[in-house]
Amino acid sequence: MVIFVGAGPGDVELITIKGMKALEKADCVIYAGSLVNEKLLAYCQKDVITYNSAQMTLDEVIEVMHQMHQKGKKVVRLHTGDPSIYGAIKEQMDRLKTYNIPYKIIPGVSSFLGAAAAIKEELTLPGVSQTVIITRRSGRTGHNEGGSLKDLAKHQATMSIFLSVQAIDEVVEELLSAYDKHTPIAVVYKATWEDEKIIRGTLEDIGKKVKAAGINRFAQILVGHFMASHYELSKLYDENFTHGYRTGNSKKKGD
Ligand code: SAH
């Protein structure tokens, strides 16, 4: 059995309990060493066999999984954040199918959520944006499938841009085709790690600030008016709004 586990954004307490238990039981862990916090390996048994996939090809990863499976060993494939987002797990799962190796997935806290918590903001504000777009700039490994930043910016939704801080000037330029220059933007480097850095600004000044801070990798870019202070109060907690769990004026404290 191979278990794909979302490691969470970095803080070792932000893996799920299920993910932690899978690490405790694993005979072998293949972890994405460029981004996964290696301190998570402390949850494993002493004689666990570990591989850092940063130095491996897909074939090599599958070969390890195959050999371990043949010996009846439990393998954890540890991916940063949630494995379903830019995790390159589909190609691994498809290869496992050809070997008839069973697998399952344990989700994780994606780094865009770690970043939202770090900046203490709500991504879906009433009257501002009820949509979150997860995307990346096209680069060496990704193209424009689903729309370029320019196209997506037209929606004026909340945007979480992965894998792109190294090209912050280009990101800003593309966003400026639809957002005005005062639009708030935050760059969160290593969200939830001990050396996390938060840079806040507007589309006008973020490029300079990010470069001054020396950030060129490992960061989330969050953009949108959800970071401004104009919004509507939520209907869910409005005393004049009734729903299945609260009728009429039965407003309770701490609801
Ligand atoms: N599956 C991961 C994303 C992997 S792609 C997830 O759900 O978060 C790698 C990119 O994710 C990085 O280039 C960066 O843009 C982002 N990222 C991963 N961990 C991060 C963190 N702790 N803080 C900020 N960005 C992070």
Side-chain angles (χ1 to χ4, degrees):
M1 165 70 86
V2 174
I3 309 181
F4 292 89
V5 176
D11 181 333
V12 292
E13 294 189 353
L14 286 176
I15 191 170
T16 63
I17 294 173
K18 219 178 183 119
M20 181 186 76
K21 286 183 177 166
L23 281 179
E24 284 169 357
K25 289 192 199 120
D27 301 303
C28 171
V29 177
I30 309 171
Y31 65 101
S34 50
L35 295 169
V36 165
N37 190 346
E38 291 191 355
K39 287 186 184 158
L40 283 163
L41 300 176
Y43 291 129
C44 299
Q45 315 170 44
K46 279 208 186 71
D47 54 351
V48 68
I49 304 167
T50 60
Y51 292 89
N52 180 350
S53 63
Q55 292 121 21
M56 296 164 81
T57 62
L58 173 63
D59 282 345
E60 287 167 345
V61 168
I62 300 298
E63 185 55 28
V64 170
M65 290 174 171
H66 187 214
Q67 289 196 358
M68 287 292 160
H69 179 69
Q70 278 185 325
K71 291 183 205 154
K73 307 279 188 202
K74 295 188 200 80
V75 180
V76 163
R77 176 70 168 110
L78 193 58
H79 282 275
T80 177
D82 182 87
S84 73
I85 297 178
Y86 306 118
I89 58 167
K90 176 85 170 161
E91 60 194 27
Q92 300 175 62
M93 297 188 294
D94 283 346
R95 293 284 280 279
L96 293 179
K97 270 185 224 159
T98 65
Y99 286 108
N100 282 321
I101 299 174
Y103 59 86
K104 64 179 182 183
I105 304 174
I106 298 175
V109 178
S110 179
S111 60
F112 81 96
L113 300 170
I119 62 169
K120 300 188 180 134
E121 296 284 4
E122 177 173 350
L123 300 176
T124 53
L125 270 189
V128 179
S129 170
Q130 293 289 293
T131 302
V132 182
I133 294 176
I134 290 169
T135 189
R136 58 169 298 174
R137 251 195 116 236
S138 52
R140 287 207 305 153
T141 56
H143 303 287
N144 267 342
E145 314 92 315
S148 65
L149 282 187
K150 257 188 194 163
D151 298 332
L152 297 171
K154 289 182 192 144
H155 296 283
Q156 299 282 304
T158 298
M159 287 178 83
S160 157
I161 308 172
F162 285 69
L163 294 155
S164 303
V165 77
Q166 71 287 352
I168 187 73
D169 287 339
E170 288 84 350
V171 169
V172 166
E173 197 186 314
E174 292 189 48
L175 294 174
L176 280 173
S177 66
Y179 288 99
D180 72 69
K181 62 183 182 185
H182 304 296
T183 305
I185 176 166
V187 168
V188 185
Y189 168 77
K190 292 186 89 174
T192 82
W193 290 64
E194 278 163 20
D195 49 348
E196 168 188 285
K197 273 189 209 159
I198 298 173
I199 314 285
R200 286 175 184 266
T202 62
L203 286 178
E204 199 170 25
D205 61 14
I206 196 75
K208 255 192 235 151
K209 289 182 175 175
V210 164
K211 276 177 254 159
I215 298 171
N216 55 17
R217 59 183 284 271
F218 215 152
Q220 271 290 329
I221 305 174
L222 296 173
V223 192
H225 292 287
F226 70 97
M227 284 179 273
S229 46
H230 316 286
Y231 63 99
E232 292 166 13
L233 294 181
S234 103
K235 293 274 186 290
L236 192 59
Y237 298 107
D238 183 333
E239 59 186 311
N240 298 314
F241 186 77
T242 61
H243 55 71
Y245 293 96
R246 199 181 54 220
T247 49
N249 276 330
S250 63
K251 201 175 137 210
K252 280 183 266 153
K253 263 195 179 161
D255 210 16

